[in-house]
Amino acid sequence: MKNSGYFIAVMMAIIGLMMLMAAEPIIQVLVIVLGIAALVEGVFILTSIMPMSGERAFKIECVLRAAISIIIGLLCIILPLRMAALAWQVMVYVFAIYALVSAVLEILIVWRLHSEGFPVKRLVIEIAATIALAVLLFMLPTSFGFTLVKIGGVVMILLGALTGFLAYKNRDIIVESVEIRDAE
């Protein structure tokens, strides 16, 4: 590791401290990031997944899932920036419900893709991750959610310290060459 290892270690420690000291703004940022991800996913479904099948029911499921994704994504981006803390907590719940509905619709899409012979392993993993995210989001606005963020902060600080230690341990050791001459 070069000096970038030290930089990464310091950045991880700073992010960990931020997570410890300001859990609420971190959750607000998380909601906005999830909103951006939902927006991108909606566009991806319309441009990449929907053309995979010519079935009318499949296209309707894709358009429905993409529309919900885009709307929720826009709400998650706009509302936390405009409203008070209660609004963003409500948005976390709305996004969690969206994630569950999205997972159910994706199960239908995957079922149709699988029946047409497309590989669906990545999509099944995405469904499991979406359900796990929904469960996590249902816990976020509560004090348990803030505790999770603070635990994440401690983990980031520890990982930063570990990264710094590994950068130090694996540093380049410069040895100057020495020329030895025989005494005549």
Side-chain angles (χ1 to χ4, degrees), residues 18-145:
M18 288 173 49
M19 290 172 74
L20 276 174
M21 301 208 176
E24 187 172 332
I26 294 294
I27 293 175
Q28 286 177 334
V29 169
L30 177 66
V31 170
I32 293 169
V33 168
L34 290 174
I36 292 169
L39 186 65
V40 169
E41 181 183 15
V43 172
F44 176 77
I45 290 169
L46 287 175
T47 59
S48 297
I49 303 290
M50 193 169 77
M52 293 177 120
S53 177
E55 278 188 46
R56 185 176 199 294
F58 178 79
K59 290 197 180 289
I60 290 171
E61 290 165 3
C62 286
V63 168
L64 180 63
R65 183 161 182 263
I68 292 171
S69 183
I70 291 170
I71 290 168
I72 294 298
L74 288 173
L75 288 174
C76 286
I77 293 168
I78 295 168
L79 288 181
L81 296 174
R82 302 255 187 248
M83 298 186 166
L86 177 62
W88 72 262
Q89 285 182 348
V90 169
M91 281 310 303
V92 170
Y93 286 129
V94 168
F95 194 86
I97 292 168
Y98 152 74
L100 290 176
V101 170
S102 175
V104 169
L105 288 172
E106 191 164 5
I107 289 169
L108 296 173
I109 290 170
V110 167
W111 185 272
R112 290 191 193 275
L113 286 176
H114 181 66
S115 67
E116 291 186 18
F118 287 98
V120 294
K121 182 179 180 182
R122 184 189 65 82
L123 296 173
V124 170
I125 293 170
E126 183 181 328
I127 291 169
T130 302
I131 292 170
L133 174 67
V135 170
L136 179 67
L137 287 174
F138 277 120
M139 293 185 281
L140 270 181
T142 63
S143 62
F144 180 68

